[in-house]
Amino acid sequence: MNGVVEVFLDETPGETRGAVMRDGRYTHLLIQRDGDPAQTRLGARSIGRVTEVNQGLRGAFVDIGVDAAAFLPFPRNDRLSQGERLEVVVTAEPRAGKGAVVRRLGPGEGTPRLLQAAPSIAEQLRELAPGEESVVGIAAIDAVIEAEEEAMARSCVFASHGIDLAIERTRALVAVDIDFASTPGRDPKQARAVANREGLRQAARLIGLRNWAGLVVIDLVGDGQDAEAQAKTARTAFAHEPQAVFGPISRFGLLQLSLPWRRTPIEEVLRDADGCVSAQTRALSLVRALRRQLLSDTRSARITARCAPEEAAIAGPLAARLGPRAHVQADVAIPAGHGRIEES
């Protein structure tokens, strides 16, 4: 991708975040929490032990030293045996209750254990934007918060192109609807082409920002009469993903494609199993706000984050790492998610 690239790195106690912005739009949000199992991060190498071979799934389940077994797909003619030791690398992080997916590198020895940690957030940012220096401090805090807000939005409006883009992930697929309001006086065919081009570009960006993959179905503007041109536009929009597989565009204007899973979806990182923002996420957000205030206000002797007891229990030890001016105060009168920062 060409254009202006900005890279942000926020290292708040308990969580490191990275964000990449291209031409004023976020394309990547990376989140790594202190408690995340190192063995399940993308790119981590481990010794694993085969615990089950499932020919029906054409794969095996492998113990890599964490609670959930990793899944190792293998070609039909491959042979693995229960108890076999392997060296593996994570190719897809856990998601939707499933363990990590790994690839075999070769034989292994000894008990399941981590051999080499996955690249850090800073290293991943350097790979995504070579030669770009990461912005830190207040600007980075603001950027990763903005990237999170966009990643969690259900729809996005791009007024300059007359597009309302709705994007939703279900258990089976990612559904995208490009809704277009035509401008009077413009050639309808040309207007649809422009809307589809921008809609596909933004859809590809948002899917990447949210770490989504699998089957993607996109409802294009129009009825598929310009299928060849639309297919070319789609391939350009997803050119950053070399493993994308495209299906034909239907006569109803539906495009189907498949994208490989790699990272845990952002909403699964931030929310609990019920779909609500988790206590850990709320606490980390409060610590991040506290850190931002400490950076912007260097004169106050004490800055306190007052919050619900459940959040204070998580945020307290993390805030202590920010220095003697930072404090967390539990307050039963404050509802969960409504913590506030106070100066004194």
Side-chain angles (χ1 to χ4, degrees), residues 168 173-177 214-219 254-257:
E168 181 178 2
L173 52 82
V174 174
V176 180
D177 179 30
L215 177 63
V216 180
V217 178
I218 303 176
D219 187 3
L254 294 177
L255 164 67
Q256 296 185 53
L257 67 147

Side-chain angles (χ1 to χ4, degrees), residues 1 4-6 18-30 128-129 147 150 201-202 204-211 240 263:
M1 294 182 184
V4 178
V5 180
E6 294 180 83
V20 178
M21 176 186 284
R22 299 181 186 273
D23 294 327
R25 297 282 186 181
Y26 293 105
T27 59
H28 294 82
L29 173 60
L30 309 174
L128 289 168
E150 187 168 16
R201 189 170 75 90
Q202 296 299 341
R205 178 182 67 83
L206 290 168
I207 289 170
L209 179 64
R210 299 172 187 194
N211 294 341
H240 62 281
R263 294 187 172 90

